């Protein structure tokens, strides 16, 4: 008896999330989308909307969750790597990030637009970025200790540079043709690699592997 209503509520939540993605694909700014339009598109009542979401900020945060989950998984493959990886692997990582940016572009941009206006989201997202950037910096410190990254590298500012540049690059996807993504990813990877390791570094992790086998 109790399972049917749960199914209906879950279905209404999915319709709301699908409706906001559909609306954003038309190119409209999220800030200009009234809740009424979302309700009409999803065919739900106002009370149903607020049963699931506190406000539009909460809605776009939930809508963007699949993008962020997939994005951080891809990012972790580089920063949490356990196997030797080189510039081509870094370029591949960035290319996959761009693919996700293309796939979820309207929702991703709407989320960042809302972050600039919503204090709660700005605090939460800023806090997460700070933690992730610190994780990146810690990896660079480990690379320094392993003799892979230059001793005079500033891990904190380098990680910040990569975070800010990657965010800007994802936003710039709307202004560039998709056919250029692979080339741009390769150029971005080269800039990151040279910044982190210099022109003569072997694949990250390769030096340790060679040392341990000699």
């Amino acid at each position: 008896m109790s399972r049917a209503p749960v199914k209906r509520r879950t279905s209404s939540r999915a319709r709301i999330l699908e409706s906001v993605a559909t609306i954003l694909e038309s190119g409209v700014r999220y800030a200009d989308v009234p809740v009424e339009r979302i309700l009409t598109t999803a065919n739900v009542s106002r009370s149903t909307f607020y049963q699931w979401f506190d406000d539009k900020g909460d809605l776009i945060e939930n809508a963007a969750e699949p993008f962020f989950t997939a994005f951080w998984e891809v990012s972790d493959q580089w920063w949490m790597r356990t196997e030797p990886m080189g510039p081509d692997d870094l370029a591949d990582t960035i290319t996959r990030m761009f693919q996700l940016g293309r796939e979820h572009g309207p929702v991703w941009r709407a989320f960042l637009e809302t972050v600039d206006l919503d204090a709660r989201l700005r605090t939460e997202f800023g806090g997460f970025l700070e933690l992730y950037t610190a994780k990146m910096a810690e990896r660079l410190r480990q690379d320094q200790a392993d003799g892979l990254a230059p001793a005079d590298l500033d891990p904190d500012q380098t990680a910040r540079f990569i975070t800010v540049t990657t965010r800007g690059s994802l936003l710039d996807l709307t202004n560039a043709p998709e056919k250029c993504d692979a080339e741009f990813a390769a150029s971005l990877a080269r800039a990151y690699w040279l910044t982190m390791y210099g022109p003569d570094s072997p694949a990250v992790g390769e030096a340790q592997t060679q040392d341990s086998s000699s």
Side-chain angles (χ1 to χ4, degrees):
M1 295 288 291
S2 63
R3 299 177 95 177
V6 170
K7 184 176 180 180
R8 286 197 296 272
R9 289 198 297 271
T10 303
S11 180
S12 65
R13 180 182 186 276
R15 289 203 308 274
I16 294 169
L17 290 170
E18 290 170 2
S19 71
V20 73
T22 299
I23 291 170
L24 290 171
E25 285 172 0
S26 69
V28 65
R29 292 180 65 251
Y30 188 58
D32 297 333
V33 178
V35 172
E36 289 74 13
R37 181 175 177 182
I38 299 171
L39 302 180
T40 300
T41 305
N43 192 27
V44 299
S45 66
R46 181 175 290 272
S47 62
T48 298
F49 177 90
Y50 286 108
Q51 175 185 358
W52 288 109
F53 307 103
D54 295 335
D55 49 32
K56 283 178 58 183
D58 188 32
L59 171 59
I60 198 63
E61 182 179 19
N62 279 269
E65 184 176 350
F67 166 78
F68 283 115
T69 298
F71 184 86
W72 298 125
E73 285 179 357
V74 170
S75 182
D76 280 350
Q77 290 175 16
W78 174 262
W79 293 106
M80 300 294 107
R81 61 190 176 273
T82 57
E83 300 290 335
M85 300 181 78
D88 290 343
D89 299 300
L90 181 55
D92 181 62
T93 297
I94 297 172
T95 297
R96 282 180 286 154
M97 289 178 174
F98 284 177
Q99 290 170 346
L100 289 170
R102 293 283 184 188
E103 180 182 350
H104 300 273
V107 170
W108 156 248
R109 290 190 296 274
F111 175 83
L112 289 186
E113 171 190 316
T114 307
V115 163
D116 291 336
L117 303 172
D118 187 305
R120 179 189 67 81
L121 275 185
R122 185 165 59 251
T123 299
E124 289 184 2
F125 187 60
F128 178 82
L129 280 184
E130 184 176 344
L131 288 173
Y132 198 88
T133 303
K135 181 166 69 171
M136 293 161 58
E138 187 57 33
R139 181 63 196 232
L140 290 173
R141 288 190 181 88
Q142 183 60 52
D143 288 343
Q144 285 179 313
D146 292 337
L148 295 169
D152 61 352
L153 178 77
D154 186 327
D156 294 310
Q157 295 307 315
T158 301
R160 178 188 175 194
F161 160 70
I162 293 172
T163 297
V164 171
T165 305
T166 301
R167 174 174 170 171
S169 298
L170 285 167
L171 286 174
D172 189 59
L173 291 179
T174 57
N175 303 316
E178 186 173 355
K179 65 180 181 179
C180 297
D181 285 358
E183 290 81 359
F184 184 50
S187 296
L188 202 58
R190 177 170 173 76
Y192 289 171
W193 184 271
L194 291 174
T195 300
M196 291 186 290
Y197 305 114
D200 301 320
S201 174
V204 179
E206 188 174 291
Q208 300 99 302
T209 303
Q210 292 174 348
D211 289 344
S212 63
S213 62
S214 59

